[in-house]
Each structure stands twice: as C-alpha cells, then as structure tokens.
Amino acid sequence: MTDHNHHHDGGNAQGHHHGDGLAEMLDLDAKILGAYLDGVTQWAAELRPSPAAIVDVGAGSGAGTLALAGRFPGAGVIALDKSPDMLARTLEAARSLGMAGRVRTLEADLDADWPALGGADLIWASSSLHELADPEQALRAMFSALAPGGLLLVIEMDGLPQFLPDGFHGGLESRLHTALAGLGWNAHPDWQPALERAGFAAVERRAFPSKARPTPELASRFARTFLGRIGPALEGAAAPEDLAALAGLLADHSAGSMLDGGTLEIRGNRTAWAAFRP
C-alpha cells in the first residue's frame, strides 16, 4: 500500500502518519457519523453476548474502544495502536467516563511483531485492516488471538464522508472522491475471502449507513477539517479547476457560505464483516 497520508476515515491511527489534525478528524467523525458504533456494537452483542476480553485493533482516538466498553460493562478492553498520543487520548477519555479500570492501552506496530493477545472473546478492527502492509497476516494473527468461539468484527467505510449537494459545481465532490480513490484513499476489498482463508467461519456482512445534521458549528468544523486535508493531497491528481473550486469553498467565510450556513447534511456509510473462530 502506498503512503498518501490518508488517515481520514474515522476509526484508525495505525498507519503511517499522525498529527495534522488527525485526532480532531477522528473525534468529529465519531461525534457526527458515530451512529454506526451503536449499530455494530449491538450486532456484536447479539452474536457474542457478554465477552470478557475485547481488543480494539488500530484504536485511533478510541471511539470504538469507548463504544465497546459502554456496550459491554463486564468486559475489559485493550486499545491497540502504534501512536502513544492516540492511546493517551483514549485513556483520558476512558477516565472521564469512569471506565479507566476496564480500559487499558497497548502500543504496538502491527506491521512488525504482534503482541501476545491470547484468549480474546471479541476483536474489533475499524478502518484499520486496510492500512496494514499485510492484512492477511494480520487476520491470521487475530485468529490466533481469539479464543475458540471468539468473534472478529472488521469495519470499513464504503466511501469518504460527503458534505456537498450532489449538484454543487456540477458534481465537484464526486470528482474529488474519484481522484482520491485513484491515490488509494480508503482502498479495501470485500474482506470475506481473506477472512475465510485465515480460518474464520460463519462470515456475515452488513451495511450501516449514517446521515447526520449536527449543530452548524460541528458540521462546519468537520467539513472544513476534512476538505482542508484533501486539498494538498489532490495537487496534481485533480483538475485545476476543481482544486480552485475547493479552495474557493474553503476561503468563503461569509454568512451564506456553503460550509458555514447550517444546511450541511453529512453522509457516511460503513460496512462490517462478522466472523467467528471455530
């Protein structure tokens, strides 16, 4: 996988770059498009009630870790990530929610040696598997880390967050997303074949769409943070007129600004795969 600084997808910080507003991006995504967290953790509870040991692989800013700790009050949750800063944020958030006794963090580069994690009942990998250099090896490691009967949930974004009306500048956002896809942003396969090759059984796939109308201030922050991050990445990859339109959109802070007017409907869709270790 090539390195395009593409931590934009709301659940992961395991890959190559941190900083540059990434933590804020992940937090905003969880606040605004986090309905999938409720849906996927509820699905997990139906499939694997009362897990005692949970691991969040590539935990990022900890949205999944905290959602899992909230859904399963009897469980201990390990947040696994390569970024000490992200892990510190996760631990601080857990403390503020009274969960510090059940949440612990573990720093690990999952492209190197995996830590010993035997006996997990539930492993959660949200927007992190596609970031790894060898996802199939990672799936085998997760299979080994699960107890028999343990559940793995892999979650990915179907596409990048959408902020603009479809007809804005003749479909500007769609063209920008197509250019980002050409750079490898959010590239991931249907994970079912790889899960089965790793030994998992009873693989099931579900979609978790999200639409949100957050407060105007939150919507504007999320839109400006995300769109501000993609502009530099698209230099030389998107049409100059589209980059100019994006720059003009970001520069407009007038009362009638598209990004500040309070009319944004933010869309984002996740797909989750559930699989068991027999």
Side-chain angles (χ1 to χ4, degrees):
M1 182 189 68
T2 52
D3 180 353
H4 297 292
N5 195 18
H6 57 270
H7 292 291
H8 45 71
D9 52 15
N12 165 59
Q14 166 57 31
H16 308 288
H17 290 289
H18 303 288
D20 299 329
L22 173 61
E24 182 184 18
M25 173 82 68
L26 298 182
D27 286 342
L28 287 168
D29 181 273
K31 286 176 183 174
I32 294 169
L33 293 173
Y36 78 92
L37 292 166
D38 292 334
V40 184
T41 57
Q42 175 60 41
W43 189 30
E46 294 165 6
L47 293 171
R48 187 65 172 82
S50 305
I54 299 174
V55 180
D56 183 3
V57 173
S61 61
T65 299
L66 300 176
L68 290 160
R71 176 69 70 184
F72 300 107
V77 185
I78 298 173
L80 192 64
D81 202 273
K82 72 184 295 183
S83 166
D85 292 340
M86 288 289 189
L87 292 174
R89 288 174 65 95
T90 297
L91 209 51
E92 182 55 39
R95 286 193 191 101
S96 72
L97 294 171
M99 297 175 173
R102 296 192 295 111
V103 172
R104 67 184 181 95
T105 59
L106 184 58
E107 185 180 340
D109 182 351
L110 301 181
D111 284 329
D113 292 329
W114 277 65
L117 290 172
D121 301 305
L122 170 60
I123 294 180
W124 172 280
S126 180
S127 297
S128 56
L129 187 58
H130 75 263
E131 295 280 359
L132 300 178
D134 189 347
E136 301 235 0
Q137 186 276 330
L139 287 173
R140 292 192 297 271
M142 287 187 269
F143 184 91
S144 297
L146 282 167
L151 173 67
L152 170 64
L153 280 162
V154 175
I155 302 112
E156 296 281 12
M157 294 183 67
D158 295 347
L160 301 175
Q162 296 172 274
F163 303 95
L164 307 177
D166 290 339
F168 183 76
H169 274 272
L172 171 66
E173 191 167 50
S174 176
R175 293 194 300 277
L176 295 177
H177 284 191
T178 297
L180 289 168
L183 295 174
W185 279 49
N186 198 49
H188 62 81
D190 176 355
W191 289 114
Q192 179 163 350
L195 286 162
E196 291 172 347
R197 285 193 295 272
F200 287 96
V203 180
E204 185 180 352
R205 173 177 170 166
R206 283 193 188 179
F208 293 86
S210 294
K211 282 188 180 180
R213 281 192 178 275
T215 65
E217 188 270 337
L218 268 183
S220 177
R221 275 176 56 201
F222 191 22
R224 288 187 175 279
T225 302
F226 180 83
L227 295 173
R229 283 174 70 85
I230 70 174
L234 285 169
E235 292 291 340
E241 58 269 26
D242 285 345
L243 292 174
L246 176 61
L249 184 70
L250 289 165
D252 182 3
H253 290 276
S254 67
S257 159
M258 170 70 69
L259 300 184
D260 300 319
T263 59
L264 292 178
E265 181 181 77
I266 302 173
R267 293 94 70 204
N269 299 296
R270 257 77 171 184
T271 294
W273 291 259
F276 286 94
R277 173 174 176 169

